[in-house]
Amino acid sequence: PSDLALKELKPVVVNLAAPSSTFIRIEVSIVFKAGALVNPDVTAAELREDIMAYMRTLSLSQLEGPSALQHLREDLNERAHARSDGKIAELILGTLVIQ
């Protein structure tokens, strides 16, 4: 629908909790109703910080397996909804690289 807006967040690059030498890069976008967020840039920056903090708590084993990506997506969507008081309709994973 034309009343939805898409905002890409800056890429997040952090090390995982275990092994700490493993880094993850994740690129996400948020979908929200146009005008619903007072300042989308501020909301995006706050959400990016939340994602960084969350990703630092994960271990590599939590990102392995067939359902890991779906669980990660659900967890990040919950964070997006909480951060925006439900104003973010969806968080879309664009890229996920583990090195």
Side-chain angles (χ1 to χ4, degrees):
S2 61
D3 66 334
L4 294 179
L6 178 76
K7 172 107 178 119
E8 291 183 24
L9 277 65
K10 291 181 182 179
V12 173
V13 180
V14 296
N15 59 313
L16 297 175
S20 61
S21 61
T22 302
F23 283 82
I24 187 166
R25 176 186 168 104
I26 186 168
E27 295 178 11
V28 300
S29 299
I30 54 173
V31 178
F32 55 95
K33 188 173 182 178
L37 298 175
V38 175
N39 191 336
D41 292 331
V42 171
T43 303
E46 291 172 345
L47 181 57
R48 185 175 177 272
E49 288 179 13
D50 286 351
I51 293 170
M52 289 175 69
Y54 175 70
M55 298 306 286
R56 287 187 174 128
T57 67
L58 297 177
S59 67
L60 184 58
S61 62
Q62 290 175 283
L63 298 170
E64 295 174 336
S67 61
L69 187 59
Q70 182 61 31
H71 290 299
L72 177 62
R73 185 176 177 275
E74 290 170 359
D75 290 344
L76 293 178
N77 263 296
E78 286 178 21
R79 289 181 172 273
H81 286 285
R83 171 58 67 184
S84 68
D85 295 323
K87 294 176 183 169
I88 293 177
E90 185 176 5
L91 182 137
I92 301 170
L93 288 175
T95 305
L96 176 75
V97 179
I98 300 173
Q99 185 176 358

